[in-house]
Amino acid sequence: MDSIKSTVTLSNGLALPRVGLGVFQVDKEDDLRRSVQAALQAGYIHIDTAAAYENEDMVGRAVREYGNRDNVFITSKLKNDQQAEAEKACKQSLERLGMDHLDLYLIHWP
């Protein structure tokens, strides 16, 4: 890995950053905002959240406060109990994040 901005190319051509900030168990908005913004300032380009973390709204605000969403790779994850309604759950995540797209959406516990 050459840098914190190093990526791996997936089979669909998507460049997935190898390093990212995970925000599991960060539930205080000030802590999350400072963590996300410090990571972005340090050169991170990937933020990883999930519906189950219950902090997607805070992640969205922190990314918007920092600057350009298009420069940040955002991953979120589908909750297990929503697998039958994945499209609806993804739209709800986007609403909480205040974003029009995710770069990667995963099944949290396949």
Side-chain angles (χ1 to χ4, degrees):
M1 182 167 61
D2 298 332
S3 78
I4 200 165
K5 295 183 181 189
S6 176
T7 63
V8 60
T9 302
L10 303 179
S11 62
N12 65 354
L14 181 70
L16 172 66
R18 293 177 186 258
V19 177
L21 175 71
V23 295
F24 176 57
Q25 295 184 327
V26 183
D27 58 1
K28 293 183 176 73
E29 182 137 14
D30 286 343
D31 293 344
L32 191 135
R33 183 179 34 77
R34 283 194 306 270
S35 297
V36 166
Q37 292 180 357
L40 295 173
Q41 288 172 351
Y44 281 68
I45 56 174
H46 183 191
I47 306 297
D48 178 277
T49 188
Y53 301 170
E54 298 182 357
N55 60 14
E56 289 173 316
D57 56 337
M58 293 185 282
V59 168
R61 283 191 294 275
V63 169
R64 281 191 301 281
E65 285 176 20
Y66 182 77
N68 189 346
R69 156 65 177 101
D70 293 332
N71 295 331
V72 183
F73 190 101
I74 303 290
T75 297
S76 194
K77 299 174 212 74
L78 173 69
K79 289 172 85 172
N80 284 348
D81 63 356
Q82 293 184 306
Q83 289 182 10
E85 299 177 324
E87 186 175 349
K88 178 181 175 185
C90 182
K91 288 178 182 178
Q92 291 170 339
S93 285
L94 288 168
E95 286 175 19
R96 286 188 293 271
L97 285 158
M99 297 179 181
D100 64 359
H101 72 282
L102 287 163
D103 298 290
L104 184 61
Y105 191 61
L106 301 170
I107 298 171
H108 204 148
W109 295 331

